[in-house]
Amino acid sequence: MRILAIDVGTGTQDMMIYDTEKELENSIKLVLPSPHLYISQQIREIENDIYFEGEIMGGGKIKKSILEHMEKGYKVVMEPLCARTIRDDLNQVKSYGIEIAEDEKDYEGYTRIKMADINITKLAEFLLGYDLEFDFDKIAIAVQDHGYNENMGDRDFRFEKIREKISEPISPLEFGFTDNLPEYYTRMQAVGRTIEKEGIEEIPLLMDTKFASIAGMCFDEIAKSLNSFVVIDIGNGHTTAASIENGKIQGVFEHHTSSLTGESLERYIKRLASGEITNKEVYDDHGHGAHVLNPISEIEKVIVSGPKRELIEKTNLDWHHAAPGGDVMMTGTVGLIKTILGR
């Protein structure tokens, strides 16, 4: 079985092509800039009015680039769907001076930019350029999705859904969705539509980047030898940690990386393991929250990944940089692959 796994992060999009007849270490791997980075670059290079079409995607630097483009005197028009990349509330999008496209209006002469987290056509052309087959039995994609509820802020809603999912100890592999993807995960829904428009009939496995990484870290060689430990993904924007015992998540907390210090990170990890951490203390510290079902027996080791993972070195914890398949950049893609194989 051949699997294409793509993990779309803030800084990079990491890809792995895995063949079950070969060792994981022999997989083809790519680490490319995140889509929002090259779209932002496109915006900066255009000296014209811009018309955006396509899907909801990870915004990253796009909003900032658009506002700078309008400051130069250019007009920006966005179709309603992709405009939700900026804000879910289209009235807020309009408040920035962005026009929401109307079908009956003529936008001829505008430079068009297509928005999407995934560009299968571009990837296929790249692989075919190296005489590699673009033929997969399964496709798995991870993006970070806060979900959307018009009556609740992103930070609250995201963690409420994490809390609902971990109503009992579960394997990290259970965070993958196929045909059971809830409508409120608008970014993952957009990825699914993009794949369908590309003519791929296979329903992709979709997963949040943080839990794909957590799943992948559990397959690190050191982690596989442990029973009671903490895994933590220290990302550019968010830090997510889970306490693991008997192969199942016993508790989780999520914070904003910029708000953490070595001291506070160590305190949160210890309190997560002991079961003492509270949702209020993390939320009041401007994080997303915490949810614990059970304490774990001990912290045999902290398994860490993510672009800001050096923060763990400012703690006194016993830590190990995760490298499943021998690569620190591939925790998310390995998590996606293991989730597919686990099914």
mmCIF file of all heavy atoms in Angstrom, residues 223-259:
data_model
loop_
_atom_site.group_PDB
_atom_site.id
_atom_site.type_symbol
_atom_site.label_atom_id
_atom_site.label_comp_id
_atom_site.label_asym_id
_atom_site.label_seq_id
_atom_site.Cartn_x
_atom_site.Cartn_y
_atom_site.Cartn_z
ATOM 1 N N ALA A 223 10.179 6.489 22.582
ATOM 2 C CA ALA A 223 8.809 6.518 23.113
ATOM 3 C C ALA A 223 8.187 5.125 23.140
ATOM 4 O O ALA A 223 7.448 4.782 24.072
ATOM 5 C CB ALA A 223 7.952 7.472 22.287
ATOM 6 N N LYS A 224 8.491 4.319 22.138
ATOM 7 C CA LYS A 224 7.906 2.973 22.073
ATOM 8 C C LYS A 224 8.378 2.079 23.220
ATOM 9 O O LYS A 224 7.740 1.075 23.518
ATOM 10 C CB LYS A 224 8.222 2.315 20.726
ATOM 11 C CG LYS A 224 7.437 2.905 19.562
ATOM 12 C CD LYS A 224 7.497 2.036 18.318
ATOM 13 C CE LYS A 224 8.866 1.959 17.707
ATOM 14 N NZ LYS A 224 8.880 1.196 16.439
ATOM 15 N N SER A 225 9.481 2.464 23.858
ATOM 16 C CA SER A 225 9.991 1.665 24.981
ATOM 17 C C SER A 225 9.409 2.115 26.322
ATOM 18 O O SER A 225 9.702 1.527 27.360
ATOM 19 C CB SER A 225 11.521 1.763 25.035
ATOM 20 O OG SER A 225 11.931 3.077 25.418
ATOM 21 N N LEU A 226 8.598 3.182 26.289
ATOM 22 C CA LEU A 226 8.053 3.759 27.522
ATOM 23 C C LEU A 226 6.589 3.369 27.716
ATOM 24 O O LEU A 226 5.898 3.020 26.769
ATOM 25 C CB LEU A 226 8.160 5.289 27.471
ATOM 26 C CG LEU A 226 9.542 5.881 27.160
ATOM 27 C CD1 LEU A 226 9.429 7.396 26.995
ATOM 28 C CD2 LEU A 226 10.534 5.540 28.256
ATOM 29 N N ASN A 227 6.115 3.486 28.956
ATOM 30 C CA ASN A 227 4.697 3.254 29.233
ATOM 31 C C ASN A 227 4.015 4.494 29.791
ATOM 32 O O ASN A 227 2.839 4.724 29.551
ATOM 33 C CB ASN A 227 4.518 2.102 30.226
ATOM 34 C CG ASN A 227 3.052 1.796 30.487
ATOM 35 O OD1 ASN A 227 2.303 1.468 29.575
ATOM 36 N ND2 ASN A 227 2.622 1.949 31.731
ATOM 37 N N SER A 228 4.770 5.306 30.528
ATOM 38 C CA SER A 228 4.188 6.467 31.201
ATOM 39 C C SER A 228 5.046 7.691 30.895
ATOM 40 O O SER A 228 6.137 7.854 31.440
ATOM 41 C CB SER A 228 4.147 6.205 32.711
ATOM 42 O OG SER A 228 3.585 7.291 33.402
ATOM 43 N N PHE A 229 4.553 8.561 30.013
ATOM 44 C CA PHE A 229 5.383 9.662 29.544
ATOM 45 C C PHE A 229 4.518 10.825 29.062
ATOM 46 O O PHE A 229 3.289 10.715 28.992
ATOM 47 C CB PHE A 229 6.327 9.187 28.426
ATOM 48 C CG PHE A 229 5.635 8.572 27.229
ATOM 49 C CD1 PHE A 229 5.439 9.304 26.063
ATOM 50 C CD2 PHE A 229 5.182 7.252 27.258
ATOM 51 C CE1 PHE A 229 4.813 8.749 24.954
ATOM 52 C CE2 PHE A 229 4.549 6.689 26.146
ATOM 53 C CZ PHE A 229 4.366 7.434 24.998
ATOM 54 N N VAL A 230 5.170 11.930 28.706
ATOM 55 C CA VAL A 230 4.481 13.100 28.170
ATOM 56 C C VAL A 230 5.049 13.392 26.792
ATOM 57 O O VAL A 230 6.263 13.359 26.589
ATOM 58 C CB VAL A 230 4.654 14.327 29.088
ATOM 59 C CG1 VAL A 230 4.131 15.599 28.412
ATOM 60 C CG2 VAL A 230 3.925 14.117 30.408
ATOM 61 N N VAL A 231 4.158 13.667 25.826
ATOM 62 C CA VAL A 231 4.578 14.115 24.495
ATOM 63 C C VAL A 231 4.149 15.572 24.350
ATOM 64 O O VAL A 231 3.074 15.958 24.820
ATOM 65 C CB VAL A 231 3.966 13.257 23.363
ATOM 66 C CG1 VAL A 231 4.539 11.856 23.370
ATOM 67 C CG2 VAL A 231 2.445 13.201 23.451
ATOM 68 N N ILE A 232 5.009 16.361 23.717
ATOM 69 C CA ILE A 232 4.693 17.778 23.583
ATOM 70 C C ILE A 232 5.193 18.307 22.252
ATOM 71 O O ILE A 232 6.338 18.078 21.858
ATOM 72 C CB ILE A 232 5.275 18.591 24.767
ATOM 73 C CG1 ILE A 232 4.892 20.075 24.651
ATOM 74 C CG2 ILE A 232 6.789 18.416 24.887
ATOM 75 C CD1 ILE A 232 5.103 20.841 25.943
ATOM 76 N N ASP A 233 4.308 18.975 21.525
ATOM 77 C CA ASP A 233 4.637 19.630 20.261
ATOM 78 C C ASP A 233 4.713 21.125 20.532
ATOM 79 O O ASP A 233 3.704 21.762 20.845
ATOM 80 C CB ASP A 233 3.574 19.316 19.210
ATOM 81 C CG ASP A 233 3.882 19.942 17.860
ATOM 82 O OD1 ASP A 233 3.878 21.185 17.779
ATOM 83 O OD2 ASP A 233 4.122 19.203 16.893
ATOM 84 N N ILE A 234 5.931 21.687 20.417
ATOM 85 C CA ILE A 234 6.138 23.114 20.673
ATOM 86 C C ILE A 234 6.226 23.809 19.328
ATOM 87 O O ILE A 234 7.276 23.846 18.687
ATOM 88 C CB ILE A 234 7.403 23.341 21.528
ATOM 89 C CG1 ILE A 234 7.342 22.482 22.801
ATOM 90 C CG2 ILE A 234 7.537 24.824 21.886
ATOM 91 C CD1 ILE A 234 8.582 22.578 23.679
ATOM 92 N N GLY A 235 5.113 24.326 18.869
ATOM 93 C CA GLY A 235 5.018 24.909 17.537
ATOM 94 C C GLY A 235 5.308 26.396 17.519
ATOM 95 O O GLY A 235 5.535 27.025 18.568
ATOM 96 N N ASN A 236 5.271 26.972 16.321
ATOM 97 C CA ASN A 236 5.486 28.412 16.178
ATOM 98 C C ASN A 236 4.414 29.211 16.904
ATOM 99 O O ASN A 236 4.703 30.235 17.509
ATOM 100 C CB ASN A 236 5.503 28.792 14.699
ATOM 101 C CG ASN A 236 6.743 28.281 13.986
ATOM 102 O OD1 ASN A 236 7.863 28.528 14.415
ATOM 103 N ND2 ASN A 236 6.551 27.556 12.901
ATOM 104 N N GLY A 237 3.183 28.735 16.835
ATOM 105 C CA GLY A 237 2.076 29.443 17.462
ATOM 106 C C GLY A 237 1.554 28.777 18.719
ATOM 107 O O GLY A 237 1.334 29.425 19.747
ATOM 108 N N HIS A 238 1.351 27.468 18.647
ATOM 109 C CA HIS A 238 0.731 26.735 19.742
ATOM 110 C C HIS A 238 1.638 25.625 20.270
ATOM 111 O O HIS A 238 2.397 25.024 19.511
ATOM 112 C CB HIS A 238 -0.592 26.109 19.293
ATOM 113 C CG HIS A 238 -1.639 27.106 18.921
ATOM 114 N ND1 HIS A 238 -1.728 27.639 17.652
ATOM 115 C CD2 HIS A 238 -2.637 27.678 19.652
ATOM 116 C CE1 HIS A 238 -2.748 28.497 17.620
ATOM 117 N NE2 HIS A 238 -3.303 28.546 18.811
ATOM 118 N N THR A 239 1.502 25.362 21.547
ATOM 119 C CA THR A 239 2.165 24.228 22.191
ATOM 120 C C THR A 239 1.089 23.309 22.741
ATOM 121 O O THR A 239 0.201 23.757 23.479
ATOM 122 C CB THR A 239 3.085 24.701 23.326
ATOM 123 O OG1 THR A 239 4.210 25.379 22.762
ATOM 124 C CG2 THR A 239 3.585 23.527 24.160
ATOM 125 N N THR A 240 1.142 22.040 22.352
ATOM 126 C CA THR A 240 0.155 21.059 22.808
ATOM 127 C C THR A 240 0.876 19.884 23.430
ATOM 128 O O THR A 240 1.808 19.330 22.841
ATOM 129 C CB THR A 240 -0.716 20.567 21.638
ATOM 130 O OG1 THR A 240 -1.250 21.698 20.942
ATOM 131 C CG2 THR A 240 -1.859 19.695 22.140
ATOM 132 N N ALA A 241 0.454 19.504 24.636
ATOM 133 C CA ALA A 241 1.075 18.385 25.351
ATOM 134 C C ALA A 241 0.016 17.379 25.754
ATOM 135 O O ALA A 241 -1.128 17.740 26.054
ATOM 136 C CB ALA A 241 1.804 18.891 26.596
ATOM 137 N N ALA A 242 0.395 16.112 25.754
ATOM 138 C CA ALA A 242 -0.504 15.047 26.196
ATOM 139 C C ALA A 242 0.253 14.108 27.112
ATOM 140 O O ALA A 242 1.415 13.769 26.853
ATOM 141 C CB ALA A 242 -1.059 14.277 25.002
ATOM 142 N N SER A 243 -0.390 13.703 28.196
ATOM 143 C CA SER A 243 0.176 12.675 29.070
ATOM 144 C C SER A 243 -0.321 11.327 28.559
ATOM 145 O O SER A 243 -1.500 11.154 28.256
ATOM 146 C CB SER A 243 -0.246 12.897 30.521
ATOM 147 O OG SER A 243 -1.656 13.043 30.630
ATOM 148 N N ILE A 244 0.610 10.374 28.453
ATOM 149 C CA ILE A 244 0.305 9.070 27.863
ATOM 150 C C ILE A 244 0.605 7.966 28.874
ATOM 151 O O ILE A 244 1.667 7.950 29.503
ATOM 152 C CB ILE A 244 1.154 8.808 26.597
ATOM 153 C CG1 ILE A 244 1.033 9.968 25.594
ATOM 154 C CG2 ILE A 244 0.777 7.468 25.965
ATOM 155 C CD1 ILE A 244 -0.282 10.055 24.868
ATOM 156 N N GLU A 245 -0.323 7.046 29.020
ATOM 157 C CA GLU A 245 -0.063 5.833 29.801
ATOM 158 C C GLU A 245 -0.851 4.698 29.178
ATOM 159 O O GLU A 245 -2.001 4.881 28.767
ATOM 160 C CB GLU A 245 -0.449 6.010 31.276
ATOM 161 C CG GLU A 245 0.035 4.861 32.149
ATOM 162 C CD GLU A 245 0.133 5.249 33.619
ATOM 163 O OE1 GLU A 245 1.193 5.789 34.021
ATOM 164 O OE2 GLU A 245 -0.851 5.032 34.355
ATOM 165 N N ASN A 246 -0.213 3.543 29.085
ATOM 166 C CA ASN A 246 -0.815 2.369 28.448
ATOM 167 C C ASN A 246 -1.269 2.674 27.013
ATOM 168 O O ASN A 246 -2.287 2.156 26.543
ATOM 169 C CB ASN A 246 -1.996 1.849 29.280
ATOM 170 C CG ASN A 246 -1.583 1.438 30.680
ATOM 171 O OD1 ASN A 246 -0.520 0.851 30.868
ATOM 172 N ND2 ASN A 246 -2.411 1.749 31.658
ATOM 173 N N GLY A 247 -0.518 3.546 26.334
ATOM 174 C CA GLY A 247 -0.799 3.855 24.935
ATOM 175 C C GLY A 247 -1.957 4.804 24.708
ATOM 176 O O GLY A 247 -2.340 5.041 23.559
ATOM 177 N N LYS A 248 -2.520 5.378 25.797
ATOM 178 C CA LYS A 248 -3.689 6.245 25.649
ATOM 179 C C LYS A 248 -3.469 7.605 26.298
ATOM 180 O O LYS A 248 -2.724 7.739 27.268
ATOM 181 C CB LYS A 248 -4.921 5.565 26.253
ATOM 182 C CG LYS A 248 -5.320 4.297 25.501
ATOM 183 C CD LYS A 248 -6.627 3.726 26.006
ATOM 184 C CE LYS A 248 -7.049 2.516 25.166
ATOM 185 N NZ LYS A 248 -8.341 1.966 25.610
ATOM 186 N N ILE A 249 -4.128 8.607 25.714
ATOM 187 C CA ILE A 249 -4.053 9.964 26.260
ATOM 188 C C ILE A 249 -4.845 10.017 27.565
ATOM 189 O O ILE A 249 -6.029 9.677 27.610
ATOM 190 C CB ILE A 249 -4.622 10.987 25.265
ATOM 191 C CG1 ILE A 249 -3.774 11.032 23.986
ATOM 192 C CG2 ILE A 249 -4.700 12.373 25.899
ATOM 193 C CD1 ILE A 249 -4.352 11.913 22.896
ATOM 194 N N GLN A 250 -4.172 10.481 28.622
ATOM 195 C CA GLN A 250 -4.821 10.614 29.932
ATOM 196 C C GLN A 250 -5.136 12.074 30.268
ATOM 197 O O GLN A 250 -5.944 12.351 31.150
ATOM 198 C CB GLN A 250 -3.911 10.028 31.021
ATOM 199 C CG GLN A 250 -3.454 8.599 30.773
ATOM 200 C CD GLN A 250 -4.595 7.594 30.798
ATOM 201 O OE1 GLN A 250 -5.602 7.787 31.508
ATOM 202 N NE2 GLN A 250 -4.460 6.511 30.037
ATOM 203 N N GLY A 251 -4.483 12.981 29.556
ATOM 204 C CA GLY A 251 -4.719 14.403 29.792
ATOM 205 C C GLY A 251 -4.027 15.220 28.727
ATOM 206 O O GLY A 251 -3.133 14.729 28.024
ATOM 207 N N VAL A 252 -4.435 16.480 28.604
ATOM 208 C CA VAL A 252 -3.865 17.335 27.558
ATOM 209 C C VAL A 252 -3.945 18.796 28.001
ATOM 210 O O VAL A 252 -4.848 19.176 28.755
ATOM 211 C CB VAL A 252 -4.626 17.130 26.223
ATOM 212 C CG1 VAL A 252 -6.079 17.553 26.341
ATOM 213 C CG2 VAL A 252 -3.954 17.862 25.079
ATOM 214 N N PHE A 253 -2.953 19.592 27.589
ATOM 215 C CA PHE A 253 -3.095 21.040 27.707
ATOM 216 C C PHE A 253 -2.566 21.678 26.431
ATOM 217 O O PHE A 253 -1.717 21.114 25.734
ATOM 218 C CB PHE A 253 -2.405 21.612 28.954
ATOM 219 C CG PHE A 253 -0.909 21.795 28.856
ATOM 220 C CD1 PHE A 253 -0.357 22.891 28.206
ATOM 221 C CD2 PHE A 253 -0.046 20.881 29.454
ATOM 222 C CE1 PHE A 253 1.019 23.065 28.137
ATOM 223 C CE2 PHE A 253 1.331 21.045 29.398
ATOM 224 C CZ PHE A 253 1.862 22.145 28.734
ATOM 225 N N GLU A 254 -3.106 22.866 26.121
ATOM 226 C CA GLU A 254 -2.677 23.594 24.938
ATOM 227 C C GLU A 254 -2.502 25.063 25.296
ATOM 228 O O GLU A 254 -3.363 25.662 25.947
ATOM 229 C CB GLU A 254 -3.685 23.435 23.801
ATOM 230 C CG GLU A 254 -3.194 24.022 22.483
ATOM 231 C CD GLU A 254 -4.037 23.559 21.304
ATOM 232 O OE1 GLU A 254 -5.143 24.108 21.131
ATOM 233 O OE2 GLU A 254 -3.595 22.661 20.568
ATOM 234 N N HIS A 255 -1.371 25.630 24.868
ATOM 235 C CA HIS A 255 -1.026 27.000 25.224
ATOM 236 C C HIS A 255 -0.465 27.700 23.989
ATOM 237 O O HIS A 255 -0.216 27.070 22.970
ATOM 238 C CB HIS A 255 0.018 26.991 26.343
ATOM 239 C CG HIS A 255 -0.093 28.146 27.296
ATOM 240 N ND1 HIS A 255 -0.095 29.460 26.881
ATOM 241 C CD2 HIS A 255 -0.208 28.182 28.649
ATOM 242 C CE1 HIS A 255 -0.197 30.250 27.935
ATOM 243 N NE2 HIS A 255 -0.271 29.499 29.028
ATOM 244 N N HIS A 256 -0.268 29.003 24.097
ATOM 245 C CA HIS A 256 0.414 29.750 23.050
ATOM 246 C C HIS A 256 1.905 29.762 23.371
ATOM 247 O O HIS A 256 2.304 30.156 24.470
ATOM 248 C CB HIS A 256 -0.144 31.169 22.949
ATOM 249 C CG HIS A 256 -1.559 31.205 22.470
ATOM 250 N ND1 HIS A 256 -2.622 31.509 23.280
ATOM 251 C CD2 HIS A 256 -2.083 30.923 21.243
ATOM 252 C CE1 HIS A 256 -3.739 31.449 22.577
ATOM 253 N NE2 HIS A 256 -3.448 31.088 21.344
ATOM 254 N N THR A 257 2.712 29.337 22.419
ATOM 255 C CA THR A 257 4.146 29.174 22.651
ATOM 256 C C THR A 257 4.794 30.463 23.138
ATOM 257 O O THR A 257 5.651 30.437 24.033
ATOM 258 C CB THR A 257 4.831 28.691 21.359
ATOM 259 O OG1 THR A 257 4.201 27.482 20.922
ATOM 260 C CG2 THR A 257 6.302 28.424 21.584
ATOM 261 N N SER A 258 4.389 31.593 22.571
ATOM 262 C CA SER A 258 4.997 32.874 22.931
ATOM 263 C C SER A 258 4.765 33.248 24.391
ATOM 264 O O SER A 258 5.489 34.092 24.949
ATOM 265 C CB SER A 258 4.466 33.991 22.025
ATOM 266 O OG SER A 258 3.052 34.110 22.155
ATOM 267 N N SER A 259 3.760 32.630 25.028
ATOM 268 C CA SER A 259 3.448 32.950 26.424
ATOM 269 C C SER A 259 4.194 32.051 27.410
ATOM 270 O O SER A 259 4.068 32.237 28.626
ATOM 271 C CB SER A 259 1.937 32.818 26.675
ATOM 272 O OG SER A 259 1.209 33.724 25.870
#
